[in-house]
Amino acid sequence: MKRFLTVFALPLAGLFCLPLFGCSVRFSADKYSDSDKYSTGNFTYNASEISRIELNWDSGSVSVSESDADSLSVSESGADLPDEKRLHYMQDGKTLRIQFCKSGFVGTFPLEAKKLRLEVPAGTELVINSASAPVELGSHTLRSLELYSASGSVSTGSIRTSDTLLIDTTSGSVKTDDINTGGDLILHSTSGTIKTADISAASANVKTTSGSFRADSVDCLSLTVESTSGSIKAGLKNCDSADIESTSGSVRLRLLDGLGASVKHESTSGSFNGNDYTVKNGRYIFGSGKCTLNVRTTSGSLTIE
């Protein structure tokens, strides 16, 4: 579930830059439950006691790394912050919750003081909510990942999950290395681009509004891609069915490793481009026709390679 801190509508997007004190930004933090049970400041925790981590962060940045150590650390860059401005955390059973600051706090934060470094164990459930802080994940093996960002960008190394993998941004871009999930893959962005290397999933759902989508290789039984004005470019390694829709952006698909496809293209003014195909019952047949591929464009063209 998405949860973001509120930034006051102030001049220069709420930023204050003074020669003696540097830049700061003013926030009104959401209130969260059980606030009296939280501790403050940098800390370490026992990896064996935690199976789920929930992080709510705003400005600065978030860097997440995986570690097999018994004792893992969580720290932010600000060393002299008062308690109300420091990170707040609590352990609830096997769930670790980390908050940006004190519940309901209103005030200014030095931008350089809220750079978070989070170590997580392999196999955990990881949930991250970020407002404007860019999020960087290294390579991870997780049970599941849910990552929501309003304006901060998201970048990851190779990510493996046994369950759902979801990345959802508003204006922030998404860039990942290999993604491999035993569950559903969901990649959503409003105006940010989505760029990935290899994707392997049971099913994949990709949606952008004005941002483009790029994938080197996609291996999944079911693929859905929607884009309004952003272009779509993907290599299809394996699939049973794919539904792709673009309004004004072009669509370019490569059939990898001899994958065959049965293609239906519906378009108002967009053209179809391809080689070495036959036409049967209004569909373009490439090779065995294994993948049922339905593509809808308004003015964007479709190219099959």
Side-chain angles (χ1 to χ4, degrees):
M1 182 177 181
K2 296 184 181 180
R3 174 194 174 278
F4 298 124
L5 301 181
T6 302
V7 181
F8 285 162
L10 296 173
L12 300 178
L15 288 174
F16 298 87
C17 292
L18 301 176
L20 295 178
F21 302 101
C23 293
S24 62
V25 65
R26 187 170 179 82
F27 291 100
S28 173
D30 290 342
K31 291 185 178 181
Y32 46 84
S33 59
D34 299 321
S35 59
D36 58 321
K37 298 179 182 178
Y38 279 75
S39 300
T40 64
N42 300 342
F43 67 99
T44 60
Y45 67 96
N46 191 329
S48 64
E49 296 178 355
I50 299 298
S51 62
R52 180 180 175 89
I53 297 174
E54 299 175 359
L55 170 66
N56 294 299
W57 207 253
D58 198 278
S59 69
S61 62
V62 175
S63 177
V64 185
S65 60
E66 185 175 299
S67 173
D68 59 1
D70 295 332
S71 180
L72 303 180
S73 65
V74 182
S75 63
E76 60 184 349
S77 54
D80 301 317
L81 294 174
D83 278 354
E84 63 269 20
K85 295 185 179 182
R86 300 169 80 185
L87 69 84
H88 282 52
Y89 69 94
M90 71 168 289
Q91 183 174 335
D92 181 9
K94 302 207 72 174
T95 298
L96 175 63
R97 296 190 175 94
I98 305 168
Q99 309 288 353
F100 184 74
C101 64
K102 181 181 178 181
S103 176
F105 175 77
V106 177
T108 60
F109 291 86
L111 294 181
E112 293 300 311
K114 302 299 286 187
K115 294 181 178 181
L116 181 74
R117 291 187 177 275
L118 167 63
E119 291 184 331
V120 302
T124 192
E125 298 176 19
L126 181 60
V127 181
I128 297 176
N129 288 284
S130 170
S132 61
V135 179
E136 181 178 352
L137 278 74
S139 295
H140 292 268
T141 301
L142 303 166
R143 179 175 179 181
S144 62
L145 172 66
E146 294 180 40
L147 200 164
Y148 304 96
S149 175
S151 59
S153 61
V154 174
S155 63
T156 82
S158 296
I159 303 293
R160 287 179 171 268
T161 67
S162 56
D163 208 335
T164 300
L165 195 162
L166 180 153
I167 300 177
D168 187 330
T169 74
T170 302
S171 60
S173 61
V174 177
K175 183 178 180 180
T176 77
D177 287 342
D178 300 342
I179 294 177
N180 189 313
T181 175
D184 295 331
L185 172 65
I186 301 170
L187 299 174
H188 287 177
S189 178
T190 301
S191 60
T193 61
I194 299 175
K195 185 177 181 180
T196 75
D198 297 342
I199 290 175
S200 179
S203 68
N205 182 295
V206 181
K207 186 174 183 179
T208 74
T209 301
S210 58
S212 61
F213 169 63
R214 300 285 186 275
D216 294 339
S217 172
V218 179
D219 182 349
C220 59
L221 296 179
S222 174
L223 171 67
T224 301
V225 183
E226 296 179 45
S227 176
T228 302
S229 59
S231 60
I232 298 169
K233 185 177 181 180
L236 300 181
K237 184 177 182 179
N238 184 42
C239 78
D240 285 347
S241 64
D243 288 283
I244 298 175
E245 183 171 357
S246 176
T247 303
S248 59
S250 61
V251 178
R252 182 179 292 269
L253 304 173
R254 291 188 302 126
L255 302 177
L256 304 176
D257 297 342
L259 177 68
S262 171
V263 183
K264 182 176 182 180
H265 181 216
E266 298 178 1
S267 180
T268 302
S269 60
S271 61
F272 173 82
N273 305 291
N275 294 304
D276 299 325
Y277 62 86
T278 59
V279 179
K280 183 177 181 180
N281 297 326
R283 303 184 73 93
Y284 303 100
I285 310 299
F286 293 82
S288 66
K290 175 180 182 295
C291 178
T292 301
L293 179 57
N294 296 309
V295 181
R296 291 173 294 279
T297 64
T298 302
S299 58
S301 63
L302 168 62
T303 300
I304 303 290
E305 299 176 338

